[in-house]
Amino acid sequence: MTDAEWAQVRSAIPVPAWLLKRGGRPEAYCHREMLDAVRYLVDNGVKWMALPVNFPYWRAVYDFFRRWRSYDYVRELYERLRRTARERSGRNAEPSAGIIDSQSVDASETVSEDSRGYDGGKSRDGRKRHILTDTEGLLLEVTVTTADVHDSKAAPALLEAFMDEPGRLLKLVWVDSAYQGPALAKAFARHGVRIEVVRRSDGQRGFVVLARRWVVERTLSWLSRSRRLNRDHERRPDYHQQMVWWAATIRLSRQMAGDAPRWPEKRPDRRARTRA
């Protein structure tokens, strides 16, 4: 990550216990090096053992990833960045409206049979990630299930995971026609959240931009830029969930730093080749 991006991340990064004199062993590597290594793996989709040698030893990076998963640090980091980004745009830190959707992804041979399923609608054999975003497309919550779980059955757990945190202000959620049923409506009503279904107009064919729903679709495309998410290689669903948070953090930190990886204006040391 660039210096501008690191400045955004450093101010929001969770402080380890040993720095607060709460016990624990000091870490052997710089946080920036570790973050760069995990982000490289998520962004480029390499194996843990295939990390370049200029990063710390792969086993140390993997242990760092596992520690952050245990304490849900990457989710905390993203939420701090999200609140800051919303405040900079003149909005409240916590949103009052959101959009829900899901995305099925094929699983590799490392995913066991008991944690994968077949999505007949999308012809995907693997897992499904369910996401909740705000009206700007920033990630609010994510859960991972087998691909055969219907969207209406996964949505209550997704909302519960988000609303369990204090200070939530969510009142309205836009969804597609799959999110219907008395059980889902009852779960949302328990938290005082209203559901509004956005449907296609009668007779519409082909690709159509639907109000509100296009925002969450764009977020799913942002996440898919990270190659680790193009196919599910994680043995455990919670590891895949962490990869989604890491991918979202990469995108948001670059956006906040205004440092998207463009060429050649962001790489002055490289020159475009001209044809003879």
Side-chain angles (χ1 to χ4, degrees), residues 2 6 37 78 99 130 149 161 172-173 178 181 250 271:
T2 63
W6 170 241
Y78 184 86
I99 311 102
H130 309 265
V149 175
L172 173 63
V173 172
I250 293 172
R271 296 290 182 267

Side-chain angles (χ1 to χ4, degrees), residues 263-264 270-276:
W263 183 84
R270 299 183 63 176
R271 296 290 182 267
R273 296 181 180 179
T274 57
R275 295 183 178 180

